[in-house]
Amino acid sequence: MKLYDAAAVLRSKNSGPFEVTVDVLFDDPEIYDKIKRSGVINAELVSRLYNIAPESITHIVFFDQALGFKITFARAISSGTFLDRDVYGAQQHAPLMDVEIDLGPDR
């Protein structure tokens, strides 16, 4: 299953002018728990998907209470400056959409 199909919410936004935050929320605690325990969401994956150095990733945090996780990383170009193609950071979740998630044989 693709992350896009498993998540109830998959969005991104600026976290100030120099960072982007991606939020992924689930409505099924079992799916959330399987993804969290799988370790598939990690700095290596984010670094590869976004073509950034692992040091550019400031947070990958799972929030059990919200059934979701947050990824924050440095923008290559600050928001609203020359050559910025996404001033609000609202399209930066797209690389995560097609990540394959193995939920086991019952899903």
Side-chain angles (χ1 to χ4, degrees), residues 1 17-18 28 30 42 46 53 55 60 63-64 66-67 73 76 103:
M1 174 181 286
F18 306 109
D28 183 329
E30 185 178 336
N42 57 52
V46 174
E55 300 79 40
I60 298 178
F63 294 102
D64 295 343
L67 298 179
F73 55 88
L103 297 177

Side-chain angles (χ1 to χ4, degrees), residues 4-105:
Y4 178 79
D5 296 319
V9 174
L10 181 54
R11 65 182 178 212
S12 62
K13 59 188 178 276
N14 284 340
S15 180
F18 306 109
E19 292 183 322
V20 169
T21 292
V22 178
D23 299 316
V24 184
L25 305 170
F26 303 89
D27 55 11
D28 183 329
E30 185 178 336
I31 290 175
Y32 165 74
D33 190 56
K34 285 182 179 181
I35 291 170
K36 178 183 174 183
R37 285 187 292 114
S38 76
V40 71
I41 305 301
N42 57 52
E44 181 182 329
L45 172 74
V46 174
S47 178
R48 187 178 79 246
L49 290 176
Y50 289 91
N51 196 30
I52 59 175
E55 300 79 40
S56 296
I57 304 165
T58 55
H59 296 94
I60 298 178
V61 182
F62 284 82
F63 294 102
D64 295 343
Q65 301 87 339
L67 298 179
F69 62 88
K70 177 182 293 267
I71 301 168
T72 302
F73 55 88
R75 293 177 63 116
I77 299 170
S78 62
S79 176
T81 60
F82 180 66
L83 297 178
D84 179 21
R85 299 186 333 213
D86 186 7
V87 72
Y88 298 111
Q91 304 303 315
Q92 301 306 308
H93 60 283
L96 281 169
M97 293 171 64
D98 289 329
V99 170
E100 287 290 333
I101 303 296
D102 181 7
L103 297 177

